[in-house]
Amino acid sequence: MKGDTQDMKPRNPKHKLLLGPGPSNADPRVLRALSEPTLGHLDPDFVAIMDETTELLRYVFGTKNELTIPISGTGSAGMETALVNSLDPGDKAIICIAGVFGERMVDLALRMGIEVVRVDAPWGKAVDPEDVRKAVRQHPDARIVAIVHAETSTGVLQPLEEIVQITHESGMRIVVDAVTSLGGMEVPVDRLGLDFVFSGTQKCLSCPPGLAPITVGERALDFIVNRKTKCQSWYLDLSMISRYWGGERFYHHTAPINMMYALNEALRIIKEEGLEARWARHRLNQKALIAGLEAMGMRLVVQPEYRLPSLTTVYFPEGIEDVPARMKLLNEFGIEIGAGLGEFKGKVWRIGLMGTNSTKANVLTLFAALEDVLVSMGAKVAPGAGLQAASAVYSETE
Ligand SMILES: *Cc1c(COP(=O)(O)O)cnc(C)c1O
């Protein structure tokens, strides 16, 4: 009997502009790379792609770290990899929390049987280095300090220098979540000597979700090589995974082959543009976005010096209903922006300009659409104010 597909709805997702907290749109070149023929995971042609990918990842991370590879899984798998390969059950970890993703690290660590020392920042603010200093003094037996570089839930960019210094002076290792910063701004891996950094593909790398690039410094590698206990996770055990990525090509699990093509292409695109130019592009488009939002009478959540180039949080106008406004933007213009989280739920929007999506065209398109949506819902917005202010930022620099 033939299969009956009559009840199946057609599946053909439309193109939408993803200007939320992620995923962001994948570059079309990356999507084409995904559809290239699948090779065996030990095929010499694939091995060559692996080698080039690690080389490109070192470039994007700004590091010479040998162990710089993509983990199979999304950014959260990178987070879990960092923790299970940095700590034994019963160890103590100082975890900085300035939003949802810091909280997620706590959740993971507690599940692993880690003794967690919390360092909390108020919602919408960065973690204060003095609070880290206090925690480190009170808990000199902690092994790591873990912190989020770009807190996607609040739009806060966490300054790292001082906290890294405090961590290293106390003999601890620093674990950094760079999921929303990598590819959109500098992640100072070798410059500051970050010990373990993880990221994800679907934010500023403009690749679909599915891989978590990581880089592991000497001190962190030392722990992995010399630990007496087995890593709690078989799947994320770097002592085994590194044998596949290193010279031995020892089988551990089948690499997500086509995602590796996609990441390889995404990294080539970044290399072609150049890191500095890419960071400057993110800053320019963020500047135009902020100018437009403020001209429309909206207030930014984060203080200027802590604003993330890749994600902006803004209080939307009073009297506007959150969900209907975002649905209108999605249904009528095919533009997705993100809702507020935690204390910001129902008060702010999160607008991402990540990787390929960080363009003048997208910023100006957003303002045209946003004005239409807000005016149709009764907001008082000066006609063309957002568009004009954003546009002026570009004319200043062109
Ligand atoms: C998105 C994100 C994650 C989680 O990544 P997933 O790909 O959703 O698993 C972790 N940390 C930060 C800062 C993020 O923005």
Side-chain angles (χ1 to χ4, degrees):
M1 205 178 91
K2 269 174 95 176
D4 185 358
T5 59
Q6 259 178 12
D7 293 337
M8 288 188 186
K9 294 203 182 84
R11 171 191 41 68
N12 53 348
K14 286 194 212 103
H15 175 80
K16 296 188 187 183
L17 185 55
L18 305 180
L19 301 183
S24 65
N25 294 92
D27 191 285
R29 276 173 58 183
V30 171
L31 294 177
R32 282 196 293 276
L34 263 180
S35 65
E36 287 165 6
T38 305
L39 289 169
H41 64 103
L42 297 173
D43 188 297
D45 290 342
F46 182 65
V47 167
I49 293 169
M50 288 168 69
D51 285 343
E52 192 194 72
T53 303
T54 55
E55 206 45 57
L56 288 166
L57 271 180
R58 281 185 203 102
Y59 167 72
V60 174
F61 270 121
T63 186
K64 295 197 169 63
N65 288 340
E66 182 66 24
L67 188 52
T68 301
I69 58 173
I71 294 297
S72 310
T74 64
S76 306
M79 187 184 281
E80 196 142 352
T81 303
L83 295 181
V84 292
N85 288 282
S86 296
L87 299 161
D88 282 322
D91 278 352
K92 201 183 257 190
I94 296 169
I95 301 186
C96 302
I97 304 123
V100 166
F101 294 104
E103 202 65 69
R104 183 172 297 180
M105 288 206 277
V106 172
D107 189 359
L108 293 190
L110 290 176
R111 286 163 195 249
M112 290 168 54
I114 300 302
E115 194 183 325
V116 173
V117 176
R118 296 177 64 103
V119 176
D120 285 273
W123 203 264
K125 296 271 189 320
V127 173
D128 184 346
E130 288 316 309
D131 292 339
V132 177
R133 199 186 302 279
K134 271 182 230 147
V136 162
R137 285 213 182 114
Q138 275 171 16
H139 303 276
D141 53 334
R143 275 195 143 139
I144 65 163
V145 172
I147 194 157
V148 178
H149 186 210
E151 195 26 278
T152 324
S153 61
T154 60
V156 170
L157 170 62
Q158 175 69 50
L160 292 175
E161 304 213 8
E162 236 180 303
I163 290 175
V164 172
Q165 200 186 355
I166 293 164
T167 304
H168 284 162
E169 276 168 8
S170 62
M172 299 175 197
R173 285 171 273 131
I174 185 112
V175 171
V176 177
D177 175 335
V179 176
T180 295
S181 46
L182 190 70
M185 53 176 294
E186 189 204 10
V187 179
V189 178
D190 282 5
R191 186 167 69 74
L192 296 186
L194 308 181
D195 298 295
F196 203 127
V197 184
F198 60 90
S199 190
T201 43
Q202 82 271 25
K203 312 249 166 123
C204 299
L205 299 181
S206 300
C207 186
L211 291 175
I214 61 160
T215 186
V216 182
E218 248 171 67
R219 279 175 295 248
L221 193 59
D222 206 51
F223 173 83
I224 293 167
V225 173
N226 293 312
R227 74 192 292 182
K228 302 283 183 295
T229 53
K230 274 192 172 182
C231 176
Q232 281 165 297
S233 166
W234 180 88
Y235 195 70
L236 303 175
D237 182 351
L238 283 176
S239 71
M240 294 196 286
I241 295 171
S242 60
R243 292 176 67 195
Y244 172 57
W245 284 89
E248 281 177 273
R249 305 297 168 190
F250 191 81
Y251 166 68
H252 178 252
H253 67 271
T254 308
I257 307 290
N258 293 57
M259 268 308 292
M260 225 60 95
Y261 304 159
L263 175 61
N264 179 272
E265 188 68 7
L267 297 171
R268 283 178 186 219
I269 291 169
I270 296 177
K271 183 97 195 254
E272 286 166 21
E273 181 176 13
L275 282 178
E276 308 274 340
R278 192 175 176 92
W279 301 336
R281 173 165 63 78
H282 279 79
R283 284 194 301 271
L284 173 65
N285 292 309
Q286 174 210 28
K287 191 175 168 195
L289 175 69
I290 291 170
L293 291 170
E294 288 181 336
M296 288 177 87
M298 287 184 252
R299 194 160 56 85
L300 277 271
V301 172
V302 180
Q303 296 301 325
E305 63 271 37
Y306 298 107
R307 287 173 189 164
L308 258 184
S310 47
L311 188 108
T312 299
T313 38
V314 64
Y315 290 98
F316 55 81
E318 297 236 349
I320 293 295
E321 274 189 280
D322 180 17
V323 178
R326 283 187 293 108
M327 283 304 123
K328 218 165 150 58
L329 205 56
L330 187 63
N331 294 333
E332 293 182 16
F333 296 92
I335 299 176
E336 178 183 270
I337 61 171
L341 292 176
E343 289 180 25
F344 294 148
K345 197 169 167 23
K347 292 181 200 153
V348 315
W349 287 332
R350 292 182 298 154
I351 303 176
L353 292 173
M354 300 182 180
T356 304
N357 275 354
S358 176
T359 63
K360 175 179 173 180
N362 286 346
V363 171
L364 298 187
T365 302
L366 176 66
F367 279 118
L370 205 53
E371 181 178 318
D372 182 83
V373 167
L374 293 178
V375 168
S376 77
M377 295 180 84
K380 287 196 184 62
V381 178
L387 206 54
Q388 251 178 39
S391 186
V393 169
Y394 295 110
S395 5
E396 276 163 29
T397 50
E398 274 163 9

